[in-house]
Amino acid sequence: MSHNTIHIRKARENDLQAIAKLVEKAPWAAAISNSFTHADIMKRCKTQISTPNNHLIVAELDGTIIGYTTLHIFPAVYMPVDEAMISDLFV
């Protein structure tokens, strides 16, 4: 029996098409496709990977992107440290 390993890493620009395809295959994608295009998804992904404190993280299996998450780091209001928020988790 072979065991495949899922690799978790920061997204690169050459991953963005695969991420967009995952989003477009989502059951709810058809409901918003008139107002949210492939170009919109690509633009938002590019913003994620180029904005400090925003991180687009992918899950990769055998060279194929199978999921992603977005992580945002920002100063906490209630203490002098940073906190993080996951705004998307897509598998």
Side-chain angles (χ1 to χ4, degrees):
M1 177 191 277
S2 76
H3 296 280
N4 296 322
T5 302
I6 296 174
H7 298 277
I8 307 297
R9 61 172 175 77
K10 286 182 115 177
R12 300 182 288 255
E13 185 136 0
N14 62 343
D15 297 323
L16 302 186
Q17 286 288 344
I19 294 167
K21 286 180 183 178
L22 285 174
V23 171
E24 291 165 346
K25 288 181 183 178
W28 45 261
I32 64 168
S33 64
N34 290 338
S35 61
F36 199 67
T37 66
H38 181 84
D40 293 327
I41 297 167
M42 293 294 293
K43 182 179 177 183
R44 289 174 183 267
C45 286
K46 286 179 184 179
T47 298
Q48 284 291 330
I49 65 173
S50 64
T51 303
N53 296 331
N54 285 349
H55 303 279
L56 183 55
I57 310 293
V58 296
E60 182 179 44
L61 178 63
D62 297 330
T64 301
I65 303 299
I66 60 169
Y68 77 90
T69 188
T70 54
L71 176 71
H72 311 278
I73 301 171
F74 51 93
V77 172
Y78 54 88
M79 65 174 80
V81 296
D82 288 343
E83 60 183 324
M85 177 183 75
I86 292 175
S87 63
D88 292 334
L89 179 60
F90 200 94
V91 290

